[in-house]
């Protein structure tokens, strides 16, 4: 870990619901979703901070914050359990009604403006808690200082067909931002905002206070703060990042980012000793791969027991793959069990799921989008929610959704074609 930089307060926005991740963010905040086996999505932002020498961190939570609070705790795994600085978790003071919740990213920071006013830091670094990347923030801070900027935006290039999902940035030869469009339907450029901002603290407080008084504002950095700064002639610069960065806000992008870890060499190296990704990790025994098992191009976490085949897949801690079972192109989360003789293909399975013996999940070539969530499940990936229990010998096609806490008796039959959905007859309140 790097030497502490006490001149920067980091604010991580971790309150998003992440609706596009479907069942995986129904009972947890998106930054708390497991990733790459043993990690959570927010681990990457937290690890980037401590590796960059930034140890004064404010995490703003909101939607289903319990699992995120449990995971981060006092911040010890990241060396953030400190008397001065460290990590602080903050949720909306009320939060009982939608009107009490943060109205946007800028409003989330404004509601905690006292934290900004009380800090001795000169700069505020604002991050999203739901992106996968490794980034040293120090060069961006250096550019911000050298340019005498009032705000600096982290940017990178993406495929033009994906650019509409992001804020589009145009900058001149000196790197000064001359135009900003938040998620345009027809983007003019593929240079996009990463949702990473550096502000001079005093300037940020002024802008947030002014924005809070504007009833017509969306109270969002991309929609409101940055366009207002451009209109006011403020010194707004762009810092170009050329490393690996992924927004895993959809089921497909989440699955794809996990699969990219299995490439040789992977674009994101989790084994780099000089830039460790830290996490809170339970004590579990080493993984065991039985003599007749077959594992190829996969990530196998500690505590796993593999008796069947695992091909091009990611297994979180405690997963059991029983004899004769095949797991292919899939993501299996914590403590799930794949029953004997089952076949799992291009499926994302949440934690503590039990797949009955002889089941086939993700069969066939019918890629009809899911009937209830066509915009979320349309690339052939089938998803299964927390603690679902599937009957033996069930067959489930592509783009299917099996809900949280589903029991065998909830299935209308043992044959479920593509695009279908099964939900639990009785919903539980467990997290």
């Amino acid at each position: 870990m790097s030497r502490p930089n006490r001149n920067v307060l980091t604010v991580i926005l971790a309150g998003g619901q992440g609706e596009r991740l479907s069942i995986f963010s129904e009972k947890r905040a998106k930054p708390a979703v497991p990733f790459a086996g043993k990690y959570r999505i927010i681990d990457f932002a937290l690890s980037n901070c401590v590796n960059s020498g930034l140890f004064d961190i404010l995490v703003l939570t909101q939607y289903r914050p319990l699992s995120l609070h449990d995971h981060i705790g006092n911040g010890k795994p990241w060396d953030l359990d400190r008397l001065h600085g460290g990590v602080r978790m903050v949720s909306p003071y009320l939060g009982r009604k939608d009107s009490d919740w943060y109205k946007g990213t800028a409003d989330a920071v404004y509601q905690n403006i006292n934290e900004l006013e009380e800090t001795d830091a000169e700069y505020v670094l604002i991050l999203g808690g739901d992106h996968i990347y490794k980034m040293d923030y120090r060069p961006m801070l250096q550019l911000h200082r050298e340019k005498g900027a009032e705000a600096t935006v982290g940017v990178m290039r993406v495929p033009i067909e994906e650019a509409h999902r992001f804020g589009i940035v145009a900058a001149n030869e000196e790197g000064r931002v001359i135009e900003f469009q938040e998620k345009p339907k027809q983007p003019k450029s593929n240079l996009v905002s990463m949702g990473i901002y550096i502000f001079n603290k005093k300037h940020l407080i002024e802008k947030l206070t002014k924005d809070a008084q504007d009833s017509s504002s969306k109270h969002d950095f991309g929609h409101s703060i940055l366009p207002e700064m451009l209109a006011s002639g403020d010194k707004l610069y762009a810092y170009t990042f050329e490393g690996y960065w992924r927004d895993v806000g959809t089921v497909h992008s989440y699955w794809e980012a996990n699969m990219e870890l299995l490439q040789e060499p992977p674009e994101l190296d989790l084994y780099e000793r000089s830039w460790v990704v830290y996490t809170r990790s339970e004590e579990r025994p080493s993984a065991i791969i039985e003599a007749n098992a077959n594992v190829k191009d996969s990530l196998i976490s500690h505590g796993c027991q593999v008796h069947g085949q695992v091909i091009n897949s990611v297994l979180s801690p405690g997963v059991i793959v029983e004899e004769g079972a095949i797991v292919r192109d899939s993501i299996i989360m914590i403590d799930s069990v794949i029953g004997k003789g089952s076949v799992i293909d291009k499926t994302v399975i949440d934690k503590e799921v039990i797949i009955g013996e002889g089941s086939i999940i993700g069969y066939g070539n019918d890629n009809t989008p899911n009937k209830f969530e066509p915009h979320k499940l349309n690339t052939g990936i089938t998803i299964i929610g927390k603690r679902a229990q599937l009957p033996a010998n069930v067959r489930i096609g592509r783009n299917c959704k099996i809900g949280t806490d589903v029991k065998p008796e909830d299935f209308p039959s043992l044959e479920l074609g593509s695009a279908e959905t099964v939900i639990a007859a009785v919903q539980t309140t467990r997290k």
Side-chain angles (χ1 to χ4, degrees):
M1 295 182 186
S2 298
R3 186 172 162 186
N5 184 336
R6 304 188 189 280
N7 208 22
V8 180
L9 170 67
T10 301
V11 179
I12 301 180
L13 303 172
Q17 185 172 352
E19 291 182 349
R20 294 177 300 164
L21 274 177
S22 189
I23 51 178
F24 304 118
S25 57
E26 281 183 358
K27 294 193 175 183
R28 60 163 80 92
K30 183 166 65 168
V33 173
F35 182 83
K38 65 178 289 185
Y39 303 101
R40 304 283 181 135
I41 293 174
I42 199 170
D43 291 338
F44 292 84
L46 286 172
S47 298
N48 288 340
C49 288
V50 298
N51 286 326
S52 300
L54 305 176
F55 291 88
D56 190 3
I57 301 172
L58 190 67
V59 179
L60 305 186
T61 64
Q62 176 171 267
Y63 175 80
R64 301 280 191 182
L66 182 59
S67 57
L68 199 59
H69 282 252
D70 287 346
H71 178 66
I72 296 176
N74 66 356
K76 186 173 182 179
W78 299 269
D79 192 24
L80 290 169
D81 53 333
R82 296 172 171 238
L83 290 176
H84 303 286
V87 64
R88 299 174 313 282
M89 311 286 290
V90 181
S91 294
Y93 294 117
L94 296 176
R96 294 177 180 270
K97 301 177 295 184
D98 288 347
S99 59
D100 298 327
W101 280 22
Y102 300 140
K103 299 178 180 66
T105 54
D107 181 59
V109 180
Y110 175 74
Q111 286 199 34
N112 296 281
I113 202 167
N114 62 306
E115 297 279 353
L116 274 61
E117 292 170 337
E118 292 173 4
T119 180
D120 293 330
E122 184 179 353
Y123 305 105
V124 180
L125 170 65
I126 296 178
L127 309 173
D130 52 3
H131 299 133
I132 304 297
Y133 66 118
K134 291 196 292 187
M135 179 179 178
D136 189 340
Y137 301 122
R138 288 170 293 191
M140 184 174 171
L141 283 161
Q142 182 178 350
L143 175 77
H144 181 84
R145 295 185 182 106
E146 290 176 351
K147 294 291 186 180
E150 284 150 333
T152 301
V153 183
V155 299
M156 67 177 298
R157 297 200 178 274
V158 301
I160 190 65
E161 60 271 16
E162 296 180 13
H164 68 278
R165 295 169 49 201
F166 306 94
I168 305 299
V169 177
N172 63 20
E173 293 181 357
E174 296 179 353
R176 186 160 179 170
V177 177
I178 56 176
E179 187 177 0
F180 188 91
Q181 291 180 296
E182 181 66 8
K183 299 180 181 179
K185 292 182 179 179
Q186 295 182 326
K188 301 177 183 178
S189 164
N190 68 338
L191 188 66
V192 306
S193 168
M194 301 167 65
I196 298 174
Y197 313 112
I198 297 172
F199 291 92
N200 294 342
K201 186 189 75 171
K202 291 182 179 178
H203 202 71
L204 176 60
I205 291 173
E206 291 174 5
K207 293 296 178 183
L208 292 176
T209 302
K210 179 180 178 181
D211 179 73
Q213 296 167 354
D214 182 357
S215 60
S216 65
S217 173
K218 292 186 177 181
H219 308 294
D220 182 85
F221 283 106
H223 281 288
S224 311
I225 301 296
L226 297 182
E228 196 279 332
M229 292 185 71
L230 280 177
S232 300
D234 293 334
K235 293 181 180 179
L236 179 59
Y237 282 83
Y239 171 82
T240 302
F241 176 69
E242 297 181 349
Y244 179 96
W245 180 89
R246 293 290 184 272
D247 178 348
V248 290
T250 67
V251 171
H252 182 78
S253 63
Y254 173 81
W255 174 85
E256 190 174 50
N258 274 276
M259 294 299 105
E260 286 174 344
L261 297 172
L262 309 177
Q263 297 174 357
E264 185 56 46
E267 292 187 60
L268 180 70
D269 185 4
L270 296 176
Y271 299 89
E272 187 178 0
R273 298 289 293 273
S274 62
W275 199 271
V276 175
V277 180
Y278 300 94
T279 189
R280 180 178 299 280
S281 185
E282 294 180 3
E283 289 296 332
R284 291 177 182 256
S286 300
I288 183 169
I289 300 175
E290 195 259 343
N292 295 322
N294 178 27
V295 176
K296 182 179 180 182
D297 298 332
S298 297
L299 287 180
I300 310 297
S301 301
H302 53 297
C304 288
Q305 301 175 46
V306 180
H307 304 279
Q309 296 185 53
V310 180
I311 303 165
N312 202 60
S313 295
V314 177
L315 271 55
S316 289
V319 169
I320 298 174
V321 179
E322 295 184 344
E323 295 176 11
I326 300 173
V327 176
R328 181 171 52 233
D329 298 331
S330 295
I331 303 164
I332 317 295
M333 297 186 199
I334 303 165
D335 291 331
S336 288
V337 178
I338 312 302
K340 292 181 180 180
S342 293
V343 178
I344 312 295
D345 187 84
K346 201 175 182 181
T347 299
V348 183
I349 298 177
D350 211 327
K351 63 187 294 187
E352 298 173 13
V353 169
I354 298 176
I355 305 294
E357 296 182 7
S359 298
I360 300 177
I361 315 296
Y363 77 85
N365 298 313
D366 182 358
N367 202 32
T368 303
N370 185 271
K371 294 176 181 177
F372 295 101
E373 298 185 354
H375 299 298
K376 301 176 186 177
L377 299 173
N378 53 31
T379 59
I381 301 169
T382 284
I383 61 176
I384 301 177
K386 282 184 184 180
R387 294 179 297 274
Q389 297 180 24
L390 277 62
N393 301 311
V394 70
R395 287 168 52 88
I396 299 174
R398 306 281 179 190
N399 294 326
C400 290
K401 173 183 174 179
I402 310 301
T404 299
D405 294 309
V406 161
K407 298 289 190 290
E409 55 267 26
D410 294 319
F411 285 78
S413 72
L414 294 179
E415 183 76 26
L416 199 67
S418 294
E420 299 294 340
T421 295
V422 176
I423 61 173
V426 178
Q427 297 289 329
T428 73
T429 58
R430 291 183 295 171
K431 299 292 183 283

